[in-house]
Each structure stands twice: as C-alpha cells, then as structure tokens.
Amino acid sequence: MALNIPGLVSLSVFFMLTLATGIWASWKSKKDQQNRNATEMAIVGGRNINVFIGLFTATATWVGGAYINGTAEIVYLPSKGLLWVQAPVGFALSLVIGGFFFVNPMRSKNYVTVMDPLQETYGNMMGSLLFIPPLLGEVFWFAAILASLGATMRVILDIGGSLAIIISACIVILYTLLGGLYSVAYTDVIQLVFITLSLWVCIPFALVNSATESIYYTATHQTYQDPWIGKIEKQYLGRWLDDFFYLVLGSIPWQTYFQRVLSTASPGQARLISYLSGLGCFSMAIPSVLVGAVAASTDWNQTSYGLPSPHERGESAMILPLVLYYLCPAYISIVGLGAIAAASMSSADSALLSAGSMFAHNIYRKILRKKATETEVLWAMRTSMLLFGAGAAGLAFYSSSVYDLWFLSGELVYALLFPQLCCALFAPSTNTYGSAAGFFVGLLLRLLAGEPALSIPPVICYPACSLVNGTYSQIFPFKTFIMLLTLGIIIAVSYLAAVLFQRNLLPRRWDVFNIMGGTSTLIPLQQMEKQMGLPTVALEENRD
C-alpha cells in the first residue's frame, strides 16, 4: 500500500479551509467585541450566537469521530448489533431533557459555565473538586479523538498516525486559541456539512458492492455472521438500561453542552437549539448504521482485505474507514475520509474550549486570582488550552488506554456531577456537607466497582456479577445506582447538617463550611423540609 497522494491533497485542502474559517471567525469575534466582556466573548460568544449557527455547533459537538465510528462498530459487532446502538436515541433524549429542564435555570442567571451553579451553591473548595472529573473527561476525550483520526488516516492514506495526530492537534489548538467559541461554532458549520455530504455520497457505493449481501436480508438472517439487527439477552437487560440512562442523563452535565445553550440571545432560542440538535444527532447516525450493516453483510474474502474478517483481526473499531477503503472506489473513500476528519475536529475543538473555559473562569478567576483583569483571564484560558491540547496530543499515542480512561471519567461525571448539578439547580437548600459526602461516597463506590478495561478488579461485586474468561463483569446497573445513591446522600446529609447546627446539637464553631452564615437559618431549613416533603418544625433562633 503506497501513500495516497490525492487523499493527502484532499485532506490538506479540508484542513486549510477549516483553519481559514477559524481565523475568519476570530477576526469577526474581535470586530464584535466592542463594548463586550472579552472573556464572555471567548467562552459564550458574547451571548450573540444565532439559532442557525447554534444548531450546527450543538449538533456537530455530539456528532464526533467516536459517534460515527462507534455507531458503525456496534452495528457490525456480532455480539452487539443495532439494538445496542444507544447513542443516537440517548443523545437525542439528553438534548431534549436538557432543553426542557436545565436551560431555563442556567440561562436565567446568565451563568458562563456548568461549574457556576455548583460554586455558587457549594463554594469554591467543592467547586475545585467537582472540576476534576469533567476536566479529565475533556482531555481524555480530545486525546481519544486524535487517536481515532490518526488510525483512520493510517488506513486510508497510509501515513503515520503520529504525524496525523500532531497536525490535527496543531490546527485545532490554533483556531480555538484565536477565536474561542466563535471559531469553534463557525468551523462546526463547515465540518457538519462535510460529514453529511461525505457519508451519504459513500453509502450507495458500499451498498451495491458485489461482495455485499442485501442488508435487508442479513438484518434477520445469518450469512457471513450473526444478523446485524442484534438482540438483547435477558441477563444483559440491566447493563443495557444502565448504559442507556448513562447516555441520556450523563450527557447533560458537560460544559460542551451548556457552552452552546448559554451562548444564545434568549432562553427560548437556547431551548429551540437543544431540541433541534437532538433531532440532528439522531439523523446523523443513519449513515453510520448503514455502514455497520454493510460491513456485517460483506464477504471480506471477496475484497482485497481478505480473511480473517475485521472482527477476527480485532479491527472492529476501524470498520467505518475499512468499509470506505475496501468497498468504495478510491476517490469516494477520500471523500469519506473528509467526513471522519470533520467529525473528529468538530468534537476536539469543543472539548479543548470546554476545558480551557472552566479552568480560566472557575479556577483561575474565582480561586487563584480573584482580582484578575479580563485580559489576564483570557490569557489564562489560552495558556490552559495550549497545555491541555499538548497533553491530550501526547496521550493520543496510547489510544486504547485513553479510550478506557475517557469512559471511566465520563462515568464519574454521571455518578458525581449530574446529581450535584440537579441539587444546585433544583434543591438550592442543599449545602457543602451534603455535596462533599455525595462526592466522596460516589467516587469510592465507582472505583470499588472496578473497571475491566483498565484491569481494575472489583472490590464490590453487585448482584449478577460474573467471572468471564478471568475478568469480572458487572451486569447490575451499578452506574445508575451510584448516581441515585449520590443524589440521596447529598440531600440527606445536607438536611442532617442543617438540623444539627440549627438546633445547636453541634457547636457553630464546627461549621467549617459556614453554612449557617452567622444568621438565623430557620428559613433555609424550612425550605429544605418543604422540598423533601417533611413536616416543618417551628424553631426559635439560636445564636452562639
């Protein structure tokens, strides 16, 4: 296999177009920056992103390289199939739920990041702890995207994956540094158009290839492998539901989502963007489903790929570029590469901007340098993005472990951050004691559940935990169980702490988080009792 010169030229043109769009958007943001807060301009676009651009950037953020590659892989895998493809429906429901429940309370207070309500309710100390899981998630996500892009270029262009990783990282970091959300949003428009057109152009060629059986027939009949429609066995129903709720609810408490809905001019526009992008995410999965079905219906021995099949070679994760390369004409596979590159970059820049925004606004400005100027915060944001981007590029060379680390950090966001955000927005009488208890108990339980992908054995074996090929498998929906338990602990411990200090059962000097504030707490306690449906007890004010 020789270097694919036409493909390399095509990809170079795409990269240059993306970079030019990012630079133009940077110039536009500076032009619109007059009389506006420079930091808010970089983080939320001055709250001036229109519905059209907002819809494109919100959809492109979720429709990343892992989304289109992963959807095709799950459909292709004999042990999974279409019924295990949960991301399209999960992400769509997540965006609808986010728009219905979370947009108004976030937008009405003009928050800048998802960490703002957490710091406002639980203080800067807890805010800094809660910042760690999403930060790790964004960095590992960026690294995983770069690794996926590098592997794809290695298949189609026959160039070194490391070179592709370095070039892609440099381009993403450069235009994100220059224009912030404006650059990310406008390049997302270009990237989403590329994804849509490129994949749909490739589908007909793959479907009519002589090595491919009818996908209508192979959906329910075994040919070269099990039917690609898949099945959900009864013993795995708990895991299926756990993964589904993880995608639906665990996709909400991310800065990449709130960065889009907080950048619009009004809450109504933010809700509309959230709803429509959910529909967009679902529809963008259709080409990937078709690619996975084609792969499962192909006699690979009739192609130059030969036998054994991609699944038997352990290359299922690369099934989308493999279909494009071996089942489509050369010039069409080059077009498909543009789709994968566009999808990867549309998520990579969002992850980078998200991590830099939270660090600059919530850590640097609110904790490290409370009197920092706007220019100083902006440079802190740029410096952090450069460091996070360089770190992610370095991690990308360890692709398999990076994916595993991203999945674990994403589960921590679901188990720890989602209940914290719900309490901060909808149960504001909860306090730092409840938040801390929920955080540490949830973290401990998740780590003790083990992680087979990282060779971490479980200390806690939940019901139906089984040993398969020397590896323990948790079938019980433990991620959702830990999330619900964390939610309950935050509310219960917050109420208990308020009662203990209110009734002087504990000395006020032990109130290290100062939830009493030196004033009567009768009203907050009554509010909490009302929220929890408990009978309100009239108390006299007590002071030290």
Side-chain angles (χ1 to χ4, degrees), residues 43 47 50 77 79 85 218 248 267 272 376 446 463 480 492 495 529:
I43 298 177
R47 305 193 193 278
N50 62 49
L77 284 173
S79 59
V85 178
T218 57
V248 174
L272 181 62
E376 190 177 342
R446 176 59 193 92
T480 302
Y495 178 74
E529 289 172 336

Side-chain angles (χ1 to χ4, degrees), residues 11 20 28 46 57 73 80 88 103 197 223 339 361 380 425:
L11 194 64
K28 179 176 173 58
T57 186
E73 178 189 2
K80 297 290 185 179
V103 164
L197 295 180
T223 49
H361 180 73
L425 294 177

Side-chain angles (χ1 to χ4, degrees), residues 151-182:
T152 300
M153 291 185 182
R154 188 172 63 248
V155 169
I156 296 182
L157 298 184
D158 194 29
I159 65 173
S162 57
L163 179 61
I165 288 170
I166 293 170
I167 293 173
S168 303
C170 289
I171 292 174
V172 169
I173 292 170
L174 179 57
Y175 72 71
T176 307
L177 281 175
L178 290 174
L181 183 64
Y182 258 71

Side-chain angles (χ1 to χ4, degrees), residues 132-145:
I132 297 174
L135 171 66
L136 293 177
E138 300 290 10
V139 172
F140 292 145
W141 178 229
F142 190 12
I145 292 168

